[in-house]
Amino acid sequence: MNDPRPGSVGEPAAPPEATVPGTSGETVLPEGEGWTRLDPKSVVAVSSLVALLAIPPLAIMALSGAERMAVLVTAGGWLLIVLGVCITSWVSWHFTRYRITGHRFELRAGRLSRSHKSIPRDRIRSVDLTANPVHRVFGLSVVKIGTGQQAGDSEIKLDAVTTPRAEALRHELLRTPSTADTAAESHTASVPAAETLSSIRPAWFGYGALTVSLAAVVWGAIASAIGSFADVIMNLGLDDAVLGDVVSLPVWISVTAGVLGALLVGALGAVLLSLEMWWGFTLTREQDSMLRVRRGLLTVRSLSLEERRLRGVELVEPMLLRWVGGARLNAVATGLSDQQSGNRQPDRAALMPPAPREEVRRVSGVALGTDPPVPSRTLVRHPFAALRRRLFRATAVGVLVGTALVLAATVTGWLIPLAWALAIAALLIAWAFGLESYWNLGHELLARHLLARSGVGVRRTVALERDGIIGWRVEQTIFQRPAGLVTISATTAAGSGAYAVRDVAATDGLTVAEEAVPNLLTPFLERDG
């Protein structure tokens, strides 16, 4: 029987805590007391997941006509892997324990190589819950406890505990010690009421079809599986029939059908991925000043974000999504950068799925406790010199591409008129992108936020809290200097770390910086006279 964890709901209280001299009243449990193991079903869950991974390769080998001995050897290899994982998982479970004291969360793991991690409870900034399909079958959840720092040791993972225990841990760890003490005295742990800020609408999944990044994931998965599918098709004798029908068609029909088929498959796959990622999405505000995002169809994810860590929001509008009035919303918060602990987690800061722009703007204002900080009206336009720079770059790219097309057609003597038409089209498209890039430029200074917008393929509008700006970075390239332009970036301990106002007039940029955070940039400016 494991020792109960102190302060948990429905469990007996731990033995009295001992006060350690010199720790400012901090209390710790006596050595060996209050430690709790992970749920033993986690061993079965991990082993089952590895066993499921063995099914696709074995099925492909069987369908592709592989020799029986090769299939048996592969199955035996997978069986050994499953047994090894089962033994390793049991050892890890047996020697892993955690406990919560009045001021710290502690985790001990390992037998040969031991580790003891300890996080002060007042440093805990997030408790995220994740449950993949196998975990959900066994009623388990993975708990990730973070301090909001970028260091690799700033996050502790419990893999895994029962879902009710995970929810109880989330509420307990995100309370301040004083609140936790009050709850312990009353021997209750009430779940705080939550205010729903936004929830998914079925029509929003249609925006997923216009998300190129999701379609690219689908195309990449199909490309990686083409070799295996080709073997299966050849062994079933379908290759001759399919190739014969394709060869008999005119080239333009085959190419058009291929392009349309790829677009259709990509769009359909993007919608399905969007369903998996955002099914059941809700954004709520809890009474303990926490924003919570819950989403997921197969793998259920729950992210809790402390509102005092929120330094702003970023409205993201990919080109196709922008054309139909859609956008996404990301949080600019400490500990939620795109690259954390060496692993890219681009969706960890997402507050909303692709949705109508007006709804995204409304939620951005509610999350920041102000009017929509991302206005629909035009921001302050940048100088005409910024447009000249973009048209010059667009002309250079268009001429380069057009020249390459014409030279290739001239050398081969094939479709020279078509090459000239494509060259002119490339130049016009490059100019269109240059104009779009300029029209997307803008900035504005609000009472509490600095707005900055830029981008063409993906337009990004960031609303950054002025109180969260800790510095400025002023850059001027040799191409910007003759035009009197600068790029001024507001640095902050959140998100990507810096957000730029691009190609703004030098005087205007410095004025915005000085007004946004008075006296921060002034000591570094040189004044005439």
Side-chain angles (χ1 to χ4, degrees):
M1 180 82 57
N2 298 329
D3 293 329
R5 177 174 52 82
S8 298
V9 183
E11 295 184 357
E17 296 182 342
T19 301
V20 180
T23 58
S24 302
E26 179 177 342
T27 55
V28 296
L29 292 175
E31 182 67 23
E33 298 290 346
W35 293 96
T36 304
R37 281 190 176 134
L38 303 176
D39 194 282
K41 294 194 296 290
S42 61
V43 178
V44 183
V46 174
S47 304
S48 302
L49 180 60
V50 177
L52 290 174
L53 294 177
I55 295 177
L58 292 176
I60 290 176
M61 291 183 66
L63 292 175
S64 61
E67 295 183 0
R68 179 177 300 178
M69 182 58 65
V71 176
L72 292 176
V73 171
T74 303
W78 274 104
L79 179 60
L80 292 177
I81 292 174
V82 172
L83 291 176
V85 169
C86 183
I87 295 173
T88 303
S89 300
W90 182 88
V91 172
S92 175
W93 167 83
H94 185 73
F95 293 107
T96 299
R97 291 176 173 83
Y98 68 93
R99 71 177 179 181
I100 302 175
T101 68
H103 293 268
R104 307 190 74 84
F105 177 87
E106 300 178 77
L107 175 68
R108 286 183 174 179
R111 180 62 176 175
L112 298 178
S113 177
R114 296 183 178 180
S115 67
H116 184 179
K117 296 182 178 180
S118 178
I119 296 180
R121 292 185 60 179
D122 58 3
R123 296 289 301 277
I124 294 176
R125 297 291 181 265
S126 65
V127 180
D128 305 338
L129 310 182
T130 305
N132 61 39
V134 176
H135 281 141
R136 294 175 65 184
V137 169
F138 291 98
L140 302 175
S141 293
V142 178
V143 181
K144 295 181 181 179
I145 304 166
T147 62
Q149 298 177 353
Q150 302 300 317
D153 294 334
S154 66
E155 186 175 83
I156 289 180
K157 183 170 73 171
L158 302 180
D159 188 4
V161 298
T162 60
T163 298
R165 171 64 64 83
E167 288 288 345
L169 281 172
R170 189 184 75 86
H171 287 293
E172 184 173 355
L173 291 174
L174 291 176
R175 288 199 302 264
T176 60
S178 59
T179 308
D181 293 341
T182 303
E185 290 176 1
S186 62
H187 297 286
T188 60
S190 59
V191 177
E195 173 194 0
T196 300
L197 305 183
S198 183
S199 58
I200 195 71
R201 276 77 155 175
W204 292 3
F205 293 116
Y207 289 103
L210 302 176
T211 306
V212 177
S213 58
L214 294 182
V217 172
V218 175
W219 292 326
I222 293 175
S224 64
I226 282 179
S228 301
F229 285 134
D231 292 338
V232 173
I233 290 174
M234 292 178 65
N235 282 278
L236 294 178
L238 300 177
D239 53 328
D240 292 336
V242 174
L243 290 177
D245 292 338
V246 172
V247 171
S248 62
L249 295 174
V251 175
W252 70 270
I253 294 181
S254 300
V255 173
T256 303
V259 172
L260 293 178
L263 292 176
L264 180 61
V265 170
L268 179 60
V271 171
L272 295 178
L273 282 179
S274 183
L275 279 170
E276 200 287 321
M277 293 172 59
W278 295 103
W279 181 267
F281 159 78
T282 56
L283 173 63
T284 57
R285 174 185 281 127
E286 299 178 346
Q287 289 185 352
D288 49 4
S289 299
M290 281 284 172
L291 294 177
R292 188 181 189 188
V293 178
R294 301 187 67 181
R295 58 189 177 90
L297 178 61
L298 300 179
T299 299
V300 178
R301 307 168 183 87
S302 171
L303 169 67
S304 298
L305 173 64
E306 198 174 18
E307 283 194 275
R308 65 189 179 98
R309 293 170 51 204
L310 194 64
R311 296 293 179 265
V313 294
E314 185 180 40
L315 190 138
V316 183
E317 301 170 275
M319 181 175 290
L320 295 179
L321 199 59
R322 185 168 72 246
W323 288 348
V324 297
R328 304 195 311 263
L329 188 68
N330 293 338
V332 178
T334 56
L336 288 182
S337 61
D338 286 345
Q339 188 167 353
Q340 187 178 48
S341 304
N343 298 319
R344 292 196 62 81
Q345 301 174 343
D347 64 337
R348 194 167 187 260
L351 287 180
M352 286 194 67
R357 185 187 294 112
E358 291 304 314
E359 174 68 9
V360 173
R361 291 180 58 249
R362 182 192 69 81
V363 173
S364 69
V366 174
L368 294 178
T370 181
D371 291 331
V374 184
S376 57
R377 59 188 173 86
T378 304
L379 302 179
V380 176
R381 286 291 177 200
H382 289 196
F384 185 74
L387 174 61
R388 290 201 308 267
R389 290 194 69 217
R390 280 154 177 75
L391 290 181
F392 177 79
R393 290 198 300 260
T395 302
V397 173
V399 170
L400 182 63
V401 172
T403 302
L405 290 173
V406 172
L407 286 178
T410 302
V411 171
T412 59
W414 184 69
L415 298 178
I416 295 179
L418 178 60
W420 276 103
L422 292 177
I424 295 173
L427 183 60
L428 294 177
I429 292 173
W431 282 345
F433 274 96
L435 289 171
E436 178 75 6
S437 177
Y438 173 72
W439 286 111
N440 289 340
L441 279 180
H443 70 276
E444 188 172 358
L445 198 60
L446 303 180
R448 289 177 48 193
H449 298 88
L450 169 66
L451 301 186
R453 187 174 67 192
S454 63
V456 54
V458 178
R459 185 172 71 182
R460 298 178 183 272
T461 307
V462 63
L464 187 63
E465 285 190 353
R466 293 164 62 174
D467 291 341
I469 298 175
I470 60 176
W472 294 98
R473 185 172 66 225
V474 181
E475 299 173 310
Q476 188 177 53
T477 66
I478 58 174
F479 302 104
Q480 289 176 315
R481 193 172 301 134
L485 302 176
V486 297
T487 295
I488 184 164
S489 303
T491 60
T492 181
S496 62
Y499 294 91
V501 180
R502 304 183 183 278
D503 284 342
V504 65
T507 303
D508 294 341
L510 298 178
T511 301
V512 168
E514 176 61 21
E515 292 180 357
V517 186
N519 301 322
L520 180 59
L521 190 61
T522 303
F524 304 96
L525 297 179
E526 294 183 3
R527 300 187 182 276
D528 296 336

